[in-house]
Amino acid sequence: MEDTQVAGLERHIAAVLAQAIADDLEVDAASIDQEARFTDLGLDSAGLIAVSEQVSEELGRTVDTEEFFEHVSVTELARHLAGRTP
């Protein structure tokens, strides 16, 4: 996959992540700091599970809750997910 395709995919995934987090926290997606740690945004374990499920459904593939602990911000997780896309 070309760099521009990966960058576009990364932006799309980041937007999906931000929207799912915003839905869980009941805030506007634009207010989500994509560099902040998920825990600093106010997500607890139940929130991470809900966000993981919503993101998995939106992207059409499983995004494990553990990935949120390994890649701790929207930016990091989007980069990871874009990089592992076939």
Side-chain angles (χ1 to χ4, degrees), residues 1-54:
M1 190 176 290
E2 292 181 29
D3 287 344
T4 55
Q5 288 175 310
V6 172
L9 180 58
E10 190 175 317
R11 281 190 301 277
H12 171 71
I13 293 170
V16 169
L17 284 163
Q19 186 60 58
I21 293 166
D23 289 350
D24 185 73
L25 298 175
E26 298 180 352
V27 298
D28 187 274
S31 71
I32 301 298
D33 179 354
Q34 296 193 1
E35 300 297 325
R37 297 175 67 85
F38 295 120
T39 53
D40 292 341
L41 293 173
L43 286 174
D44 57 14
S45 57
L48 287 174
I49 291 168
V51 169
S52 175
E53 290 173 354
Q54 184 175 335

Side-chain angles (χ1 to χ4, degrees), residues 47-65:
L48 287 174
I49 291 168
V51 169
S52 175
E53 290 173 354
Q54 184 175 335
V55 170
S56 293
E57 186 174 319
E58 274 295 312
L59 297 179
R61 67 179 198 213
T62 301
V63 179
D64 294 319
T65 307

